[in-house]
Amino acid sequence: MKLGLEVFLEKYLDDYKEKRVGLVTNPTGVNQRLESNIDLFFKHLNLTALFSPEHGIRADAKEGEKVSSSVDEVTGLPVYSLYGKTRRPSADMLENVDVMIFDIQDIGSRYYTYIYTLAYVMAACKEHQKEVIVLDRPNPIGGVKVEGNLVHQDFTSFVGLYPIPNRHGMTIGELAHLFNEEYSIFCSLKVIPMEGWERSKLYDELGLPWVPPSPNVTGLSMQLLYPGTCLIEGTNLSEARGTVRPFEMVGAPFINARELANHFNTLELEGVIARPVTFTPTYQKYQGEKCYGVQLHVMNRHNIRPVQVGVHLLHLIYQMYSDEMEFIGNEQLKHPFFDLLAGSSELREAIIHSQIDRCLKNMRNGLESFLPIREKYLIYN
């Protein structure tokens, strides 16, 4: 197969030789020989500016950490941060740019901020009359399964800007078309599709080298679980940041690991088994403290329903430890952070009032309105 980057270099390079090119990227912007798009474009195009998302152009900043604009040490080009003072390119940033190229690996979950950086780039380029090119890359957790609820209008944020489900089953190029048409950005957009990608394939079935798009994206099991376990971030439970298994392990000092694992496994959820674990985060929640909980082992990669897994795990922990488990508030936010991740207050209320079966049913019903819209923008078989 060929990545969008490789197709662009092979077939479209000459069309943009005379253009001033801006590039939104990070370390995932490589070809199959692991050559950087920055180096390749600097060599073959008039590359004039670089733009960095959350975690920075080198993916060395922690989650939520503001990234400063800088100068690239290799090319000497300006690197404008889109996760610092602003999240969208300004007129000054775009002054020496005719066309913006976006080339970043996504991980297939609606919370992941790179897809909203793309949306903001598209909106800024519409405003300032710049062309946008998206170089498509695989959805690492496949392009078939779709699961979760839709973000309600009052709960939009940078972890859920549009009404798409937790696991959307789309590539970043398909999302670009969706954002542009359904949410009225209407920029001048060109998506360079991959060649030879099949929707049913997971990333490790593609024969491609893997470059982590951010520090806590450790591998395929983590990404398969993330549409459900990212919800842990909105609670006082540790999602195991600061360990080698973030988003695969969940715990807290007040949990009995063996009891939690036993109760979870009696649910017999498809494709997953819990194992009791003890871990000590090196940063973030419970830094330096022992946490007790579970590691979720993906037993069937094609059948697991991660949102269902995350919802049941949260409900179970709340049932067992309602006096200790909390949903995180932030006085700077209109809603609890958990609700922004969940897309509404419904899931939090369902966990508290033990109504998760109804909540999961509502999620499935909500998908019925999204799936026909999604279908219009799918590029691959």
Side-chain angles (χ1 to χ4, degrees):
M1 64 167 289
K2 292 180 182 177
L3 299 165
L5 170 62
E6 293 161 335
V7 175
F8 177 83
L9 290 168
E10 188 179 293
K11 297 182 178 180
Y12 295 90
L13 201 58
D14 289 344
D15 297 342
Y16 294 91
K17 288 279 191 182
E18 305 303 318
K19 302 282 189 179
R20 297 172 299 172
V21 174
L23 176 62
V24 189
T25 194
N26 69 1
T28 65
V30 293
N31 63 15
Q32 294 185 56
R33 294 178 55 82
L34 295 174
E35 295 171 313
S36 165
N37 54 13
I38 299 175
D39 298 336
L40 292 166
F41 289 172
F42 191 69
K43 180 179 179 181
H44 296 292
L45 293 170
N46 182 18
L47 186 61
T48 57
L50 302 172
F51 296 81
S52 66
E54 184 179 7
H55 304 291
I57 201 90
R58 303 295 178 193
D60 53 2
K62 292 179 179 177
E63 64 286 343
E65 182 180 321
K66 290 192 181 302
V67 177
S68 300
S69 294
S70 60
V71 174
D72 181 56
E73 294 178 0
V74 177
T75 63
L77 293 172
V79 181
Y80 296 113
S81 171
L82 300 180
Y83 200 79
K85 293 180 180 178
T86 181
R87 291 183 177 173
R88 64 181 70 210
S90 65
D92 289 344
M93 294 177 184
L94 293 171
E95 185 177 4
N96 294 316
V97 171
D98 299 314
V99 57
M100 282 281 273
I101 298 180
F102 188 99
D103 186 24
I104 293 177
Q105 177 65 55
D106 183 39
I107 67 169
S109 295
R110 76 148 177 253
Y111 328 101
Y112 212 52
T113 62
Y114 297 156
I115 60 177
Y116 308 121
T117 294
L118 170 60
Y120 283 155
V121 165
M122 290 165 60
C125 287
K126 166 64 177 177
E127 181 182 354
H128 300 291
Q129 298 181 309
K130 313 291 183 180
E131 183 182 0
V132 178
I133 299 175
V134 177
L135 307 183
D136 213 2
R137 290 182 176 270
N139 184 323
I141 58 174
V144 176
K145 296 294 178 70
V146 181
E147 189 190 5
N149 69 323
L150 306 184
V151 178
H152 292 196
Q153 188 171 2
D154 193 45
F155 291 82
T156 58
S157 72
F158 204 51
V159 292
L161 194 59
Y162 296 121
I164 61 174
N166 312 52
R167 183 179 185 178
H168 50 70
M170 302 179 77
T171 69
I172 202 157
E174 292 172 336
L175 285 172
H177 282 307
L178 174 77
F179 294 168
N180 204 38
E181 299 299 321
E182 294 297 325
Y183 309 125
S184 304
I185 298 176
F186 301 136
C187 72
S188 174
L189 173 67
K190 178 180 289 186
V191 172
I192 307 299
M194 298 171 281
E195 292 181 359
W197 183 65
E198 298 175 24
R199 306 199 73 85
S200 61
K201 293 292 182 69
L202 303 182
Y203 198 92
D204 64 0
E205 298 172 308
L206 301 175
L208 299 175
W210 172 250
V211 178
S214 58
N216 284 286
V217 177
T218 51
L220 189 59
S221 289
M222 172 267 165
Q223 291 171 86
L224 283 165
L225 290 163
Y226 186 74
T229 56
C230 182
L231 294 166
I232 303 296
E233 286 196 83
T235 73
N236 65 337
L237 305 172
S238 171
E239 63 278 8
R241 289 189 188 273
T243 78
V244 297
R245 285 287 177 261
F247 300 101
E248 295 178 54
M249 298 193 298
V250 176
F254 54 79
I255 287 175
N256 182 309
R258 188 171 295 277
E259 282 187 6
L260 178 59
N262 289 341
H263 284 304
F264 180 86
N265 288 333
T266 60
L267 297 173
E268 297 185 341
L269 299 179
E270 204 168 14
V272 64
I273 294 177
R275 178 178 66 88
V277 292
T278 303
F279 60 89
T280 304
T282 58
Y283 80 102
Q284 262 232 19
K285 300 172 192 170
Y286 306 116
Q287 178 180 350
E289 290 186 61
K290 275 190 178 181
C291 290
Y292 308 93
V294 293
Q295 180 177 351
L296 299 171
H297 291 263
V298 178
M299 308 303 290
N300 188 318
R301 307 177 332 160
H302 294 283
N303 287 354
I304 187 170
R305 295 167 61 188
V307 177
Q308 181 192 56
V309 169
V311 168
H312 276 287
L313 180 60
L314 280 162
H315 179 236
L316 185 56
I317 295 173
Y318 189 83
Q319 281 185 309
M320 296 172 69
Y321 303 101
S322 58
D323 291 340
E324 290 92 354
M325 180 179 156
E326 299 173 2
F327 296 94
I328 293 174
N330 185 326
E331 56 189 33
Q332 295 180 324
L333 299 175
K334 181 179 179 181
H335 301 290
F337 184 54
F338 182 88
D339 291 3
L340 297 182
L341 290 168
S344 76
S345 61
E346 182 183 4
L347 177 56
R348 177 172 51 83
E349 291 165 359
I351 290 169
I352 291 170
H353 299 295
S354 291
Q355 297 173 338
I356 60 165
D357 288 339
R358 186 174 73 179
C359 182
L360 288 168
K361 182 180 179 181
N362 289 343
M363 286 185 183
R364 291 190 291 272
N365 292 339
L367 283 183
E368 296 304 313
S369 63
F370 174 75
L371 291 175
I373 296 170
R374 170 183 177 270
E375 188 71 26
K376 293 190 292 182
Y377 301 102
L378 300 185
I379 299 171
Y380 311 92
N381 295 322

